[in-house]
Amino acid sequence: MSYLLSILSLKVLFPLLLSMAFGVFVGAMPGLTATMAVALIIPLTYYMEPLTGLAMVIGVSFTAIFAGDIPATFLRIPGTPASGAAVLDGFEMNKKGKGALALTLDLFCSALGGLIGVLILIFTAPPLAEVALKFTHFEYFWLGVFGLSMAAVLSRGNTIKGLLSALFGLLISTIGIDVTTGYPRFTFGITELMDGVSFIPAMIGLFGISEVLKRLSFRESLDLPSVKINGKLDVLEALKLMYRNKFIIIRSSLIGTFIGALPGAGADIAAWVAYGAEKSLSGNEIGSGSPRGVIAPTSANNAAIGGTWIPALALGIPGDSITAIVLGAMLMYGLKPGPLIFAQSKDLVYQIFAVALLVQIMLLPVGWLGIKAFSRLVSLRAGVVMSAVVLFSMVGSYAIRNSVFDIWLMALFGLLGYVMEKINMPLAPMVLALILGRMIEDNLRIGLIKSGGSIIPFLTRPISLILFSLIVLTLLGPSIWKVVRKLKD
Amino acid sequence: MGWSDLILSLSCFALSGFVFYHSRFFPKFTVRGEKLPGPSFFPDLLAFLILIFGFYFFVSGLTSLFKAREELRSSLFKGVSLYKSLSFVIIIGVGFLFYPVLKIFGSVIGITLLGVFLMRFMRVRWFSSLVYSVVLALLIHWIFKVIFKLPLPEGVIFSLLRG
């Protein structure tokens, strides 16, 4: 409590509030990621005290991850990669005229998920970091495949096409320089492809441009408002839904925190895994505009931020790209992240925890204002909004690495997304495979090299075996469940 | 879904063939005489799996076709219109023309021009499309160039005017 009181000063609160507003702005802008927001705010904190600087970083990262869900819900364009899973049910709810409810739910779940993540960070940072360290290449491979097995359950209606979509995504992820040998694969001399297919233009194209193309098919709809927002943000209904689905919030937050704690697996993977877990437990209802499909990923992605700080603070290993920047900033402030930080800078660590808790409370008004502002913009005529989406998507794609090639890539992925949806092939597994592709390949190959080509260690190590069993359960679970229910009937 | 499944299966075959063909030229990964999983290992594995899926969709496509031939043939071209085809060409075309237009006219005028063009195509009135496009262009310029210091093109015309 004393730590919480110690941060309640204007020199911490005012920069924190500004950074949160900046987080909403960047997060809601397609093409600008939470990592970019943090990277941009770090230079501003050079001359500040470590607590103020870190408070700004914490504020920006939590709000940017939430704000990414706003365009995801209204326009089907994830503002940040972590909002990829929130697109599915959020946008479906919006189509049913429940966009405001979806975002209110999203806001509360993000704050609550973030709160749970931070509480877990406070109480379990050192022991959880130890578990995360037990993950080797074998476990990481299965973790990646587990994420992909979610692709099967994520696919609405057609599991086979979902798996094929994931395979296409994995194949696209092999484009670029092979990490092990340094050989460029499928690049055909195009320099821009050496780094691989940039994930953000691909995602903007698949979700955003394909949606614009779909909207253009109905010419008359262009004269109507882009998004119909029914009434006010329904706080009471959202709270009721949250109470009814309290276990989903807790489960998803736990999943999010755990995945966030694994080095290299951030909020985006956490959101997909939580969404997939919910889908496998709740069945076909998810994917067609169910509040549960909003609750699970939004609780998980904000909880994952707390998780990413666990290895960062306890071991000095970044949980994701954001904490990688944060670690650099901490070194800049003269702090040494790692086990010793709890002894050497105990007060500062607990003040950081207090800031993270405060951010969850402040997220509610800041996020609410963000939703309000964005909903004004998207209630313009569809023709205006769709044109703006196309232009913003293009500049956003270009912004990632100042590359014209990424704009072309986005346009091609837009076309691909449209065709895929036309033949009932889900987009989500491809997006997930693009995120996980490198991780799966590298860990499979390194694992095989370590084991001399044997797959035995992939199945005999305890954590590997647990993950493998989870994959089998995820893929076969729904069928087994159906048989059991039939036998019961 | 007969025709679409058949087209999907042919795409799978073509993609697998493409991957198998190109991966033959990838170097082998051998350390002290021991052959290890090299650059072609994972793409080949994926191509093999895609091939299996291709066969599945080929069979399912053929089966569906035999079941309801006429119905499927008509559904294949359902919804294809001149406007729809044109809108595809325009959106993808804007993607490809985006940078050249900005390079010539600069970011503010370039985005305004593209904005007016897109909005007119999307049935927004002339005046409104001009106003919205100017606002949009200034907003994009302010966010990306002023705040984020992104090197958006200045424009050949302005460079010449400035000498």
Side-chain angles (χ1 to χ4, degrees):
Chain A
M1 193 65 192
S2 61
Y3 291 113
L4 201 58
L5 289 174
S6 71
I7 59 159
L8 294 179
S9 67
L10 207 62
K11 70 173 186 182
V12 176
L13 290 181
F14 185 64
L16 178 64
L17 198 65
L18 282 183
S19 71
M20 289 180 79
F22 181 69
V24 171
F25 173 70
V26 177
M29 207 63 71
L32 302 181
T33 61
T35 314
M36 204 186 262
V38 171
L40 284 165
I41 215 150
I42 290 280
L44 298 178
T45 66
Y46 278 154
Y47 307 103
M48 291 177 179
E49 283 179 20
L51 176 65
T52 315
L54 288 169
M56 286 181 81
V57 170
I58 293 168
V60 111
S61 54
F62 276 102
T63 35
I65 294 287
F66 156 73
D69 299 342
I70 303 176
T73 305
F74 283 143
L75 301 169
R76 204 183 177 225
I77 302 174
T80 68
S83 303
V87 163
L88 306 170
D89 282 78
F91 186 69
E92 288 299 323
M93 277 183 81
N94 184 46
K95 278 199 323 201
K96 291 178 185 170
K98 291 181 181 170
L101 176 64
L103 277 172
T104 316
L105 203 54
D106 188 330
L107 178 63
F108 281 114
C109 289
S110 294
L112 197 56
L115 195 68
I116 293 172
V118 173
L119 286 174
I120 295 172
L121 165 72
I122 295 170
F123 293 110
T124 65
L128 252 180
E130 271 176 37
V131 176
L133 270 188
K134 287 194 174 123
F135 271 59
T136 63
H137 299 290
F138 307 108
E139 285 79 19
Y140 272 113
F141 166 71
W142 284 124
L143 183 72
V145 179
F146 177 56
L148 265 194
S149 70
M150 296 296 176
V153 286
L154 285 172
S155 318
R156 217 189 317 161
N158 198 331
T159 307
I160 306 283
K161 280 187 178 167
L163 284 172
L164 186 61
S165 167
L167 286 175
F168 285 157
L170 283 177
L171 198 59
I172 294 168
S173 76
T174 65
I175 295 172
I177 288 187
D178 171 40
V179 183
T180 322
T181 59
Y183 184 79
R185 296 182 298 188
F186 309 114
T187 54
F188 308 105
I190 302 168
T191 327
E192 287 86 350
L193 285 178
M194 295 288 180
D195 262 353
V197 170
S198 189
F199 170 65
I200 291 173
M203 198 173 69
I204 292 177
L206 282 173
F207 284 125
I209 298 296
S210 70
E211 182 60 27
V212 174
L213 291 174
K214 216 158 65 181
R215 287 290 287 266
L216 281 173
S217 306
F218 306 100
R219 212 174 172 197
E220 290 68 31
S221 73
L222 294 171
D223 299 336
L224 303 170
S226 170
V227 174
K228 265 190 198 167
I229 296 150
N230 283 4
K232 294 174 186 170
L233 300 180
D234 203 341
V235 175
L236 208 65
E237 178 67 19
L239 289 175
K240 267 187 209 163
L241 278 167
M242 280 174 71
Y243 181 73
R244 252 182 265 151
N245 297 296
K246 50 192 175 291
F247 294 115
I248 299 178
I249 299 173
I250 295 168
R251 184 168 53 231
S252 304
S253 304
L254 291 177
I255 291 173
T257 314
F258 181 70
I259 290 180
L262 300 173
D268 40 2
I269 298 176
W272 284 109
V273 173
Y275 183 85
E278 215 36 63
K279 171 96 180 172
S280 60
L281 289 168
S282 306
N284 280 337
E285 185 199 332
I286 293 208
S288 54
S290 160
R292 290 178 187 185
V294 174
I295 292 170
T298 53
S299 308
N301 61 14
N302 265 44
I305 305 173
T308 57
W309 281 75
I310 294 172
L313 280 179
L315 303 164
I317 299 169
D320 65 351
S321 50
I322 295 175
T323 39
I325 302 170
V326 173
L327 286 187
M330 288 176 104
L331 291 171
M332 185 184 80
Y333 299 133
L335 302 167
K336 282 183 190 153
L340 287 177
I341 200 171
F342 290 93
Q344 288 171 346
S345 314
K346 190 183 163 204
D347 286 349
L348 180 67
V349 169
Y350 282 96
Q351 279 175 326
I352 292 171
F353 291 159
V355 167
L357 288 175
L358 186 69
V359 163
Q360 310 314 319
I361 299 161
M362 285 169 69
L363 182 63
L364 296 173
V366 174
W368 182 81
L369 286 174
I371 298 170
K372 278 279 177 195
F374 205 85
S375 58
R376 285 268 164 98
L377 285 176
V378 293
S379 56
L380 292 168
R381 274 170 73 115
V384 176
V385 175
M386 290 297 132
S387 304
V389 165
V390 172
L391 292 172
F392 257 110
S393 300
M394 281 168 192
V395 184
S397 301
Y398 175 75
I400 302 300
R401 5 178 233 193
N402 300 340
S403 163
V404 186
F405 184 79
D406 284 345
I407 305 176
W408 302 343
L409 208 62
M410 182 216 62
L412 289 177
F413 269 100
L415 198 61
L416 178 69
Y418 180 82
V419 174
M420 281 172 69
E421 288 212 310
K422 207 71 191 146
I423 59 169
N424 292 327
M425 188 183 264
L427 304 176
M430 179 179 268
V431 173
L432 190 57
L434 279 169
I435 300 174
L436 295 173
R438 283 280 161 114
M439 173 182 162
I440 292 175
E441 182 185 2
D442 292 348
N443 288 298
L444 171 66
R445 280 171 62 192
I446 296 169
L448 283 172
I449 290 168
K450 272 168 76 178
S451 65
S454 167
I455 60 157
I456 302 294
F458 283 93
L459 299 167
T460 50
R461 293 170 58 91
I463 302 175
S464 291
L465 194 63
I466 293 170
L467 284 168
F468 177 70
S469 313
L470 280 173
I471 292 163
V472 175
L473 209 68
T474 309
L475 288 173
L476 302 179
S479 312
I480 296 169
W481 184 239
K482 257 185 204 170
V483 174
V484 170
R485 266 167 62 177
K486 257 189 186 175
L487 285 174
K488 261 189 180 178
D489 289 342
Chain B
M1 299 302 286
W3 283 107
S4 72
D5 278 3
L6 273 183
I7 294 167
L8 187 61
S9 72
L10 291 177
S11 311
C12 288
F13 295 150
L15 194 63
S16 304
F18 173 83
V19 173
F20 284 135
Y21 175 77
H22 276 281
S23 66
R24 283 189 318 149
F25 303 109
F26 292 173
K28 298 278 173 280
F29 187 38
T30 315
V31 178
R32 285 188 225 106
E34 195 186 346
K35 223 177 131 186
L36 300 169
S40 63
F41 171 74
F42 197 58
D44 281 349
L45 181 70
L46 295 173
F48 177 71
L49 292 172
I50 288 172
L51 195 67
I52 295 173
F53 276 90
F55 281 116
Y56 169 83
F57 284 112
F58 187 73
V59 174
S60 77
L62 276 184
T63 323
S64 307
L65 267 187
F66 282 121
K67 269 185 191 166
R69 209 168 170 176
E70 286 310 310
E71 193 186 319
L72 287 163
R73 189 172 291 173
S74 62
S75 70
L76 182 67
F77 300 102
K78 207 168 103 182
V80 176
S81 67
L82 183 68
Y83 174 76
K84 214 169 172 179
S85 318
L86 194 66
S87 60
F88 279 29
V89 174
I90 282 177
I91 299 294
I92 305 302
V94 167
F96 281 85
L97 285 174
F98 184 78
Y99 194 75
V101 171
L102 261 64
K103 189 127 192 166
I104 296 167
F105 297 102
S107 55
V108 176
I109 297 180
I111 291 170
T112 306
L113 287 175
L114 289 172
V116 170
F117 174 70
L118 279 171
M119 285 183 206
R120 282 299 299 142
F121 181 71
M122 295 189 199
R123 298 159 61 114
V124 181
R125 285 191 200 121
W126 267 110
F127 183 70
S128 305
S129 66
L130 188 66
V131 172
Y132 283 126
S133 299
V134 170
V135 172
L136 190 67
L138 290 173
L139 189 69
I140 288 177
H141 183 83
W142 180 69
I143 295 170
F144 289 90
K145 194 148 183 175
V146 178
I147 298 182
F148 293 106
K149 311 276 180 223
L150 264 173
L152 288 176
E154 190 190 11
V156 177
I157 295 173
F158 286 97
S159 301
L160 284 173
L161 282 174
R162 282 201 314 163

